[in-house]
Amino acid sequence: MTDTVKIKIDGIEVKLEKNASILDAAKQLNIKIPTLCHHEDLCVAGNCRVCVVEQEGVHNLVPSCSTPALDGMIIHTMTPKVRKARKDLIALLVSEHNTQCTTCYRSKNCELQDLAAEYNIDNEVYLSVLKPSKVDRSSWSIEKDDSKCIRCQRCVRTCAELQHVNALDVAYRGKDMKISTFMDLHMNEVVCVNCGQCIIHCPTGALTERRYYDNIWDAIGDPKKHVIINTAPSVRVALGETLGFPVGTRVTKKMVTALKKIGFDAVLDTDFAADVTILEEGHELLHRLKRVFVDKEKVSLPMITSCSPGWVKFIEHMYPNYLSHLSTCKSPQQMFGALAKTYYAKKKGIDPKDIVSVAGMPCSAKKYEANRPEMKSSGYNDVDAGLTTREIGHMIKETGVDFLSLEETEFDSLMGESSGAGVIFGATGGVMEAALRTVYEVVTGREVPFKNLNITPVRGLKGVKEATIKIENCVPAFSFLEGVELKIAIAHGLINARIVMDQVEKGTSPYHFIEIMACPGGCIGGGGQPIPTNCEIRQKRIDAIYEEDANMPVRKSHEVKEVQELYRDFLKEPLGQKSHHLLHTKYTKRNRY
Amino acid sequence: MEIKALIFKLAEKYGRKRENLIPILQGVVQEERYISDEAMVEIARQLDISAAQVYGTCTFYSFLNTKPKGKYIIRVCETIVCDMRGKKEVISTLEDLLKIKIGETTHNKRFSLLKTECLGWCHKGPVMLVNDEVYTELTPEKIRNIIAKYKENIN
Ligand code: SF4
Ligand code: SF4
Ligand code: SF4
Ligand code: FES
Ligand code: FES
């Protein structure tokens, strides 16, 4: 028995691992076969049939994505029969489609549009059988337009396989088949956690983020308003993709310039708030440990991070009895918003009612988070609107600036300075690493014992990562931690969150501290990021994040000058009264059903 | 039986894996003649799956009703062979006898009238089902007798 097979595609022989598909074989040879229902992140569905090829000796065309390559197969990918079949399939999809590309958000970034162009679907071969449907804009985050849906079911597989939410499924059958929530309820009435993973896996404009850029253009045009934007770490390593740069390019300073050209009065950094989050959350962890070890109280451990609003809504729905495990810290976006309309407003002498605070995020759930009723601790909406990386890309295009040749600008001050620890929030494991860099030093007075502060065991794309850090030679205040082995875990993608949460539920969780991000890869793979996003692209964005970190002069949250200033002049101390009011929050029990 | 208790009983009987969903749904239909929203949610809870998944399955199969139905569910085959052999007349006869249209239920909740895909009795079309009973080679005369029988059958 050998583990490899040999097949011939378009006259070229290729050797493959067993269980590879014909599509994999073609990829190895750089032969392009069109696909629609196929996505690298998801299991094979084989329902769209545009990937058909001809197999010698077999009468019917075979779908290349779902047909395993078997030894000796002879495949042809571009015969007249294949081409005709693909063209027909695409034309049929178009005949059921609300083909309004000029007014479609996904235009120029749409797999159906690309294929229709490639296969020259230049006249209406089939009569349009488009059925009327209503666009669902009930959710703060997700817009669902069934008239643009090709029923490839990528969203259904995403919501099941990556996120284990199953808010969407296939309902009805045949010509009536559609992608539906339970009882076809609105998206805001079901268990959807707004993560947007279905959006970045949808080939068309059927699932998109709710867009708020028009409101922001209006605010920018209003001279009375002071419009500020803070941009999350993951935006700077992905925005370039929408504007002509290769995947993995860091465009931080060009982005700042472009946002200034758009007309924002100040371009600030979410990383600043990420650094504040580390101080608050790090001290919260130490506080909980102290209550366990010294006061012998019953305290919810492991403590779990709360920066990812998709994850927060997930635990509220799925594990509502375990909300006490969540850190009470708001996410960096919401900390930023609360500080912008208090601390920033005061220091700059601007009336907070005139501040429009915008968050540039790799995320669709952040739009929902900004609208949670409790997020008004400044007395105003702490965050007025959230934009995705994609929306920012569109706004920059709209200005007409040539992004590629744009000069570079630094973030504005106040709340524009940050550390490398703030940057790595964007990658899975980053919050943990950032927290450890600070917590370890607070407890022992020494830097974390890792070369160049790079805590490599928490990095990488493995679904659940674990590490143990032994705490020794503590400073007197933390002597209760002497010799403690701090056990940590990191999960990304909600299917992995389930794994660690099931342990918590069973009472078998061995950890003290867990980081959970809703999206695979962390924020760099967020539902607001450029499309496509896949494993290879996630890895390149992660590499860029760590490069950004390595190049920062300050690598630890507690060493950022503006953060120190914030505590000195305003907050006084982590977990203090002001922090409690502005930077911490409560959670809501929700139903799964 | 209360719906929760019924579903619990069915889950105990068939198991709580995803593949046990259909027998449980069939069990509910047998008792209640349809699967209510509450029933779908309860089944999802018992099987630890999402309600959308139960809804998707219910709407896929035409025999898994999601709307309340009458005591006798009449399903007329609408597929091509029966269509050519006089489906139209079958339907108009039934509509006339029951004073309802396709998709509706009589006000006394005794009959529901539905269409269905091929029942595999094409050689004896046109055909219809009344609950689990199949009636073949229908004529208006035959239909009148069948319906009369079910109208009398008070139990
Ligand atoms: S989804 Fe694609 S094909 Fe459809 S209207 Fe939008 S851009 Fe055009
Ligand atoms: S919504 Fe998008 S991903 Fe889902 S089935 Fe439709 S086209 Fe495919
Ligand atoms: S946003 Fe996330 S939870 Fe909601 S339907 Fe899409 S994948 Fe599922
Ligand atoms: S891509 Fe192969 S069937 Fe859809
Ligand atoms: S067509 Fe009616 S039973 Fe087959």
Side-chain angles (χ1 to χ4, degrees):
Chain A
M1 281 290 284
T2 58
D3 290 338
T4 56
V5 294
K6 260 193 220 148
I7 73 168
K8 213 177 209 178
I9 301 189
D10 296 345
I12 314 166
E13 206 168 71
V14 53
K15 246 206 214 76
L16 293 150
E17 303 263 305
K18 242 197 182 125
N19 298 326
S21 66
I22 298 173
L23 182 66
D24 296 329
K27 271 190 195 149
Q28 248 186 57
L29 293 175
N30 251 333
I31 293 172
K32 190 184 158 196
I33 296 177
T35 55
L36 277 174
C37 68
H38 182 78
H39 194 290
E40 299 88 317
D41 288 347
L42 307 172
C43 78
V44 170
N47 63 33
C48 77
R49 282 337 208 218
V50 299
C51 67
V52 286
V53 294
E54 214 171 325
Q55 180 185 346
E56 270 187 27
V58 174
H59 177 71
N60 287 337
L61 297 175
V62 298
S64 60
C65 71
S66 58
T67 309
L70 299 179
D71 219 24
M73 270 184 174
I74 301 176
I75 303 292
H76 301 282
T77 69
M78 240 311 143
T79 63
K81 190 172 163 189
V82 166
R83 205 191 54 82
K84 171 87 174 54
R86 287 183 191 159
K87 183 162 177 149
D88 266 346
L89 282 164
I90 299 162
L92 281 168
L93 285 174
V94 169
S95 77
E96 298 176 321
H97 191 82
N98 181 12
T99 315
Q100 294 284 342
C101 299
T102 48
T103 55
C104 183
Y105 184 57
R106 281 292 293 273
S107 191
K108 295 174 106 177
N109 183 19
C110 168
E111 293 178 37
L112 180 64
Q113 190 187 41
D114 286 351
L115 276 187
E118 267 167 42
Y119 282 77
N120 295 309
I121 313 297
D122 53 0
N123 53 16
E124 285 165 22
V125 189
Y126 300 105
L127 290 176
S128 168
V129 289
L130 174 66
K131 282 190 294 280
S133 67
K134 255 212 180 113
V135 182
D136 180 355
R137 294 198 179 90
S138 62
S139 156
W140 287 109
S141 299
I142 314 285
E143 188 166 310
K144 180 168 177 278
D145 181 354
D146 293 340
S147 71
K148 304 264 170 85
C149 172
I150 58 169
R151 286 161 294 187
C152 65
Q153 301 172 29
R154 272 157 56 164
C155 53
V156 174
R157 282 174 282 149
T158 301
C159 198
E161 293 166 24
L162 303 181
Q163 301 301 64
H164 209 299
V165 174
N166 296 295
L168 297 173
D169 206 344
V170 181
Y172 302 95
R173 118 187 83 96
K175 65 180 190 340
D176 300 319
M177 175 182 155
K178 62 178 291 193
I179 304 303
S180 172
T181 55
F182 174 58
M183 300 305 290
D184 222 348
L185 291 172
H186 286 139
M187 289 296 277
N188 68 340
E189 296 168 317
V190 297
V191 285
C192 168
V193 303
N194 302 309
C195 68
Q197 283 301 310
C198 53
I199 296 175
I200 59 169
H201 288 89
C202 177
T204 70
L207 287 164
T208 51
E209 70 270 41
R210 289 282 312 283
R211 273 99 54 202
Y212 299 99
Y213 44 35
D214 283 336
N215 311 14
I216 292 163
W217 281 120
D218 287 349
I220 288 172
D222 181 345
K224 289 196 292 297
K225 296 287 181 206
H226 182 78
V227 190
I228 60 176
I229 184 167
N230 65 91
T231 59
S234 293
V235 177
R236 67 202 66 183
V237 297
L239 177 67
E241 291 167 37
T242 70
L243 296 161
F245 277 106
V247 179
T249 313
R250 297 185 283 135
V251 297
T252 318
K253 293 176 183 174
K254 283 191 191 305
M255 172 185 76
V256 176
T257 314
L259 291 170
K260 295 229 157 214
K261 293 217 188 258
I262 285 176
F264 285 101
D265 295 300
V267 180
L268 305 169
D269 202 344
T270 319
D271 297 9
F272 166 84
D275 285 323
V276 177
T277 305
I278 287 302
L279 290 186
E280 294 291 329
E281 198 161 326
H283 281 93
E284 185 186 354
L285 176 67
L286 291 173
H287 186 65
R288 286 197 195 206
L289 292 174
K290 178 159 178 277
R291 284 171 59 197
V292 172
F293 286 105
V294 181
D295 310 332
K296 307 286 178 213
E297 284 179 52
K298 240 182 104 47
V299 176
S300 295
L301 282 180
M303 185 176 97
I304 312 176
T305 58
S306 56
C307 326
S308 168
W311 149 243
V312 168
K313 190 156 183 268
F314 181 85
I315 185 174
E316 289 179 330
H317 281 295
M318 308 287 181
Y319 301 91
N321 297 326
Y322 296 87
L323 297 179
S324 60
H325 288 265
L326 276 182
S327 158
T328 58
C329 287
K330 287 182 183 171
S331 70
Q333 161 177 300
Q334 293 306 133
M335 288 201 183
F336 195 100
L339 291 172
K341 294 197 180 177
T342 52
Y343 173 66
Y344 177 90
K346 202 161 132 200
K347 278 238 168 179
K348 294 272 171 183
I350 303 168
D351 188 341
K353 82 169 180 354
D354 293 328
I355 295 181
V356 176
S357 155
V358 181
M361 293 288 144
C363 186
S364 53
K366 292 273 171 199
K367 295 171 186 278
Y368 162 80
E369 183 185 33
N371 288 291
R372 287 180 71 119
E374 62 271 23
M375 296 299 176
K376 292 185 191 331
S377 35
S378 62
Y380 305 87
N381 291 332
D382 293 340
V383 174
D384 291 288
L387 293 176
T388 60
T389 308
R390 297 187 290 270
E391 285 173 280
I392 296 177
H394 279 284
M395 289 181 82
I396 294 175
K397 279 185 207 156
E398 210 172 329
T399 62
V401 298
D402 177 15
F403 192 75
L404 294 177
S405 62
L406 222 49
E407 69 277 22
E408 309 208 314
T409 316
E410 300 287 340
F411 282 107
D412 288 309
S413 169
L414 210 56
M415 301 179 31
E417 195 198 334
S418 63
S419 75
V423 171
I424 57 176
F425 261 61
T428 164
V431 177
M432 183 59 74
E433 180 166 348
L436 290 176
R437 284 184 195 172
T438 289
V439 167
Y440 192 89
E441 205 167 312
V442 169
V443 171
T444 66
R446 302 183 308 275
E447 288 194 335
V448 272
F450 288 90
K451 193 165 168 237
N452 297 330
L453 299 175
N454 295 335
I455 309 179
T456 42
V458 304
R459 299 184 178 185
L461 280 170
K462 201 169 149 233
V464 178
K465 293 167 279 186
E466 309 174 287
T468 305
I469 292 181
K470 189 154 184 172
I471 300 180
E472 286 167 309
N473 299 326
C474 299
V475 298
F478 292 100
S479 56
F480 63 90
L481 287 174
E482 189 62 44
V484 168
E485 299 204 327
L486 193 69
K487 287 197 165 55
I488 56 168
I490 295 124
H492 57 113
L494 293 171
I495 188 102
N496 296 315
R498 279 249 185 220
I499 298 175
V500 297
M501 280 313 291
D502 285 345
Q503 290 178 332
V504 171
E505 200 173 42
K506 282 205 206 89
T508 59
S509 181
Y511 311 112
H512 298 105
F513 188 28
I514 305 179
E515 174 203 299
I516 298 183
M517 294 291 155
C519 291
C523 310
I524 51 90
Q529 290 286 63
I531 303 169
T533 291
N534 57 34
C535 250
E536 198 189 322
I537 292 174
R538 281 190 279 265
Q539 188 57 55
K540 285 189 176 156
R541 292 181 192 150
I542 287 177
D543 294 343
I545 284 263
Y546 288 122
E547 222 176 84
E548 186 95 354
D549 167 38
N551 282 296
M552 297 287 280
V554 178
R555 306 274 309 285
K556 295 177 272 183
S557 301
H558 55 279
E559 288 179 356
V560 177
K561 285 227 171 50
E562 286 195 353
V563 172
Q564 293 169 345
E565 206 177 306
L566 167 75
Y567 278 98
R568 192 191 60 220
D569 298 351
F570 187 68
L571 293 175
K572 306 304 174 208
E573 54 173 354
L575 306 184
Q577 211 191 345
K578 268 228 169 78
S579 292
H580 184 76
H581 171 59
L582 291 174
L583 308 182
H584 292 258
T585 186
K586 305 190 288 300
Y587 305 102
T588 311
K589 283 191 179 192
R590 295 174 204 274
N591 286 327
R592 178 171 176 197
Y593 299 108
Chain B
M1 202 187 304
E2 210 227 327
I3 190 74
K4 280 195 175 171
L6 170 66
I7 290 165
F8 183 80
K9 202 183 92 191
L10 291 165
E12 288 289 305
K13 179 169 170 199
Y14 293 111
R16 288 184 168 79
K17 297 228 174 70
R18 179 81 198 253
E19 62 262 30
N20 307 124
L21 176 58
I22 300 249
I24 293 173
L25 290 170
Q26 284 170 325
V28 173
V29 171
Q30 193 146 39
E31 289 291 321
E32 304 286 315
R33 274 167 290 165
Y34 86 109
I35 307 158
S36 63
D37 313 4
E38 302 94 274
M40 285 188 236
V41 165
E42 190 53 31
I43 293 170
R45 209 191 301 274
Q46 286 289 332
L47 268 53
D48 195 22
I49 58 180
S50 83
Q53 291 170 307
V54 180
Y55 179 69
T57 307
C58 290
T59 53
F60 184 88
Y61 294 102
S62 46
F63 282 68
L64 297 177
N65 304 312
T66 54
K67 298 267 153 57
K69 290 287 177 285
K71 178 161 186 202
Y72 299 110
I73 300 174
I74 304 171
R75 293 184 162 93
V76 183
C77 170
E78 61 162 341
T79 307
I80 182 98
V81 179
C82 291
D83 186 67
M84 284 162 51
R85 290 191 175 199
K87 167 203 82 178
K88 271 213 190 84
E89 211 185 341
V90 174
I91 291 179
S92 64
T93 310
L94 283 165
E95 287 183 336
D96 191 44
L97 278 171
L98 302 170
K99 302 291 173 225
I100 53 172
K101 297 257 169 277
I102 282 282
E104 294 177 351
T105 298
T106 55
H107 67 86
N108 61 5
K109 304 270 185 288
R110 205 158 171 79
F111 294 97
S112 293
L113 183 55
L114 304 173
K115 290 194 283 192
T116 183
E117 313 293 340
C118 178
L119 295 165
W121 284 88
C122 322
H123 57 299
K124 291 199 169 189
V127 302
M128 69 179 189
L129 275 178
V130 180
N131 290 355
D132 291 339
E133 209 63 45
V134 59
Y135 295 92
T136 60
E137 292 169 311
L138 295 170
T139 60
E141 184 59 32
K142 261 187 161 173
I143 294 173
R144 270 191 288 276
N145 292 335
I146 295 164
I147 297 300
K149 194 179 89 193
Y150 282 104
K151 277 190 175 167
E152 280 160 24
N153 190 358
I154 318 255
N155 54 32

